[in-house]
Amino acid sequence: MTDPGDAPGAAPPPSDGAAPPPSDGAAPPPSGGAARPPPDGAGGRLDWLTPSLVSAAVVSAASGMGQFAITAVIGDVARAFGTVDAGTDLTSQIGLQATTLGIALAVIRLASLASLPGSAIADHLGRRRVLLLALVVGLALTGSSAFAPTFWTWVALVALARPWLSTVNAVSGVVAAEETSARYRSWAIGLIAATYGIGSGVISIGRSLLPEGFRPVMLAVFLPLLALPWLARTLVEPPVAARAHLAETAPALPGAVPRPHRRDLARLVAVAAGIAVATGPGFTYVFVYGESILGLARSTMALVVLAAGPVGLVGLLAGRWLSDHVGRRPCVAVGLVGTGLGFAGTYSGAVPLMFVGYLVGILAGGAIGPGLGAAAAEVFPTEVRATVAGWLAAAGVLGAVVGLAGFGILADATGGFGGAARILALVPVVVTLALRRLPETRGWELDGRPPPSPGAVA
């Protein structure tokens, strides 16, 4: 196992207090904090791929399985606990009222708000401990929903699991950022996003091979727990986030963010919420829409999700290039606009446009990840970095709740999903305005900005 002092991301003793000059012509970070130099490449191009980062990626894949299982089986759950008949209205086609389904999905997403204190605690107790605990509890509760006797029992179980898995998402991204230098940070964050997508794809393909119904799919969520002994051995605390350091510098109140950083936090919160308003219903309803409205087979939908894998990878690579060569903000802006366009196209009413729109949304979502994740890590100091990740996860929850509930209500009011999608697709486009005053951090090392003044924490 790599010695923490030699691992990528370990902070060396400051020399003259100046950060090393960034590569690619990026603007240097403000002075005032010691910055870590990027790896010199002596160990090869994959020097940044530490055992701990690989473990965080596996944890992210497991979380993808747990969370996407809900999306994959929601149509099966509606049919299992509702009534499907030959009628032409939405309720007859999907088994439950769209409003009921939307409220249930909103409740599940809303439960993720509890991930904010979970993520914040990682700034006090350490990344590794929180990550492993959240994974075990989240997968156990999600898998247990296979035995739910009623619709609302199923909703309650997956809602209880959601904050734990959302904490996994937030903290695994923080680990990726802290394990790498500015040169490779976008790659590491892209890896976390890619493995989450792989976990989602495994569930989608598995659903097409397993017996019909939601129960076999939910039982499959238990499988990643078999890797827990290996994860416990290989996942280590990022050197920059050593618990002794965090215990001295983290805010006393979990969830608090120093006053000088609150405006930047508000801007990123707006971006995260805007993305989720579209992706919440856009990705969650796609199985219901494709199978129950357009009449596509389960195997066809599995192929669509399978195609999303390489498309998402292309998006991640494009986002990584944009983030490192053009800037974090342009990368996020392009992804936001693409997300809105993809959402509107997915629910336009035609099968080809559903395929194209869904894949455009996947492409855009992949492109957003490296820029947004890197900016969130670089703008804020180590002692509140996991807390900020929790705030962004909470913002995504609220955005998804608004999107899911609004989508169901608008669909019932208009008699279809198309009009609802076109309205909500405007939201991510509008929130690109929040990026105008966000600092451009391309080339910054972690903690390259001056620390907030003492006593500024609420």
Side-chain angles (χ1 to χ4, degrees), residues 72-439:
V73 304
I74 188 62
D76 298 329
V77 173
R79 286 188 289 272
F81 297 115
T83 302
V84 178
D85 56 41
T88 58
D89 61 302
L90 276 177
T91 302
S92 298
Q93 292 174 318
I94 65 178
L96 295 171
Q97 286 188 338
T99 300
T100 300
L101 209 56
I103 290 173
L105 291 169
V107 167
I108 294 169
R109 290 298 184 100
L110 194 61
S112 291
L113 287 176
S115 67
L116 174 56
S119 300
I121 287 172
D123 281 329
H124 294 259
L125 299 181
R127 320 310 194 203
R128 177 184 179 275
R129 182 184 299 179
V130 171
L131 200 54
L132 292 176
L133 175 64
L135 179 70
V136 171
V137 178
L139 292 182
L141 286 169
T142 303
S144 298
S145 69
F147 307 104
T150 67
F151 175 72
W152 289 108
T153 304
W154 181 83
V155 170
L157 285 169
V158 296
L160 287 172
R162 195 74 183 210
W164 297 94
L165 295 179
S166 294
T167 297
V168 170
N169 292 351
V171 178
S172 60
V174 171
V175 169
E178 293 177 340
E179 278 285 317
T180 49
S181 66
R183 182 179 178 186
Y184 297 110
R185 189 163 298 122
S186 292
W187 282 105
I189 292 170
L191 175 67
I192 296 298
T195 51
Y196 182 94
I198 290 171
S200 302
V202 167
I203 279 293
S204 179
I205 295 170
R207 175 175 175 265
S208 68
L209 301 175
L210 292 169
E212 288 195 16
F214 73 93
R215 301 184 194 277
V217 178
M218 303 314 288
L219 285 172
V221 172
F222 284 118
L223 292 176
L225 293 176
L226 296 175
L228 188 62
W230 174 78
L231 291 172
R233 289 195 306 271
T234 56
L235 184 65
V236 299
E237 194 73 12
V240 74
R243 285 196 293 273
H245 165 69
L246 293 180
E248 296 173 357
T249 57
L253 179 64
V257 173
R259 186 172 289 108
H261 296 292
R262 290 177 191 164
R263 289 187 178 182
D264 289 336
L265 176 61
R267 294 173 185 123
L268 287 176
V269 160
V271 170
I275 295 169
V277 166
T279 58
F283 295 151
T284 303
Y285 277 98
V286 69
F287 280 88
V288 176
Y289 181 70
E291 295 176 11
S292 300
I293 306 299
L294 299 182
L296 299 175
R298 292 200 311 169
S299 57
T300 302
M301 292 303 300
L303 289 175
V304 174
V305 176
L306 183 62
V311 170
L313 179 60
V314 171
L316 284 169
L317 294 174
R320 201 282 311 171
W321 187 92
L322 279 172
S323 176
D324 286 346
H325 293 82
V326 181
R328 313 308 197 199
R329 293 185 304 174
C331 171
V332 176
V334 169
L336 283 166
V337 174
T339 296
L341 292 174
F343 182 29
T346 300
Y347 296 92
S348 60
V351 172
L353 285 177
M354 190 211 78
F355 292 156
V356 173
Y358 179 72
L359 294 177
V360 167
I362 294 292
L363 182 72
I368 289 174
L372 184 59
E378 293 158 350
V379 167
F380 302 96
T382 297
E383 59 266 24
V384 296
R385 193 168 292 124
T387 298
V388 168
W391 275 109
L392 297 187
V397 170
L398 292 176
V401 168
V402 171
L404 286 165
F407 194 61
I409 292 170
L410 288 171
D412 276 340
T414 60
F417 289 151
R422 287 190 292 273
I423 294 170
L424 294 181
L426 295 173
V427 176
V429 178
V430 171
V431 299
T432 57
L433 297 174
L435 297 171
R436 293 178 60 191
R437 291 185 174 274
L438 187 73

